[in-house]
Structures are given as C-alpha cells and as structure tokens.
Amino acid sequence: NLQFRDENSFQRDAARGGKDAMTYPLRTWQKVAYFLIQAGGQWFWTRLGHTAAAQKWADKPEDDWRRKLWSKMRQVENWLKLFSLANLIVFLYNG
C-alpha cells in the first residue's frame, strides 16, 4: 500500500540512524494542503472550464484576455495529457 510520510522529519532522523520510515505520518497541515491542491485544484479547473465553455471564450477576439486564457488552458491540458502518456509508458517499461 502507498503511504505518505513527512519527508523532512524522516530525512532529519535518518541522518542520525532514525526509526522505521512509516513512523513519520504526514502532519495535519500537510494533509490539508494535499486536499486543497488535489480536490480544490480539480474543482477550480473544472469550474473554470465550464465557465469558459458557457461564455464561449474560444469565440472571443484574439486580443481578449479570455481568449488568451482559454488558449493557455488548452495548452496546459495538452501538456498534462502528454506527461500522463509518458508516465504510463515509463511505468509499463519499468514494471
């Protein structure tokens, strides 16, 4: 099973011949930050995409900030798809 650990505490204690790696659970602020980034980031991105589609940002003039933001959003999504594919290939190659 995948378990997260507080890497800073682990590294500090490992230099002194520390304890087992799984005795370093994430701190509360790390758990909250992880949740905000994962759930909040996905929610924000989806909401922004729905807003862009509903207001037809793609059909705005080229110099409009909404059109530019829409273009950047598409670029980011394409890069994420490419990195996801590369990650899958590396995973399959390494087993």
Side-chain angles (χ1 to χ4, degrees):
N1 287 335
L2 178 64
Q3 293 183 346
F4 295 102
R5 69 178 179 200
D6 183 1
E7 194 65 26
N8 291 330
S9 297
F10 174 74
Q11 291 297 330
R12 184 179 55 243
D13 287 351
R16 294 184 246 148
K19 302 175 264 184
D20 179 36
M22 291 302 112
T23 60
Y24 299 94
L26 292 179
R27 296 179 184 157
T28 302
W29 73 267
Q30 292 171 317
K31 292 176 186 177
V32 170
Y34 179 77
F35 171 76
L36 290 175
I37 291 170
Q38 286 295 108
Q42 286 182 346
W43 174 84
F44 176 76
W45 191 261
T46 301
R47 183 84 172 149
L48 186 61
H50 287 304
T51 301
Q55 295 180 5
K56 297 182 176 22
W57 288 6
D59 298 334
K60 302 286 183 193
E62 289 286 332
D63 59 342
D64 190 277
W65 68 271
R66 291 167 292 195
R67 173 67 184 261
K68 291 177 183 177
L69 182 58
W70 177 81
S71 287
K72 292 297 178 192
M73 287 173 60
R74 299 290 79 82
Q75 287 178 351
V76 168
E77 287 178 352
N78 287 335
W79 279 107
L80 287 174
K81 288 176 186 175
L82 179 67
F83 290 140
S84 179
L85 177 63
N87 184 40
L88 175 65
I89 292 170
V90 169
F91 173 76
L92 292 174
Y93 180 77
N94 291 331

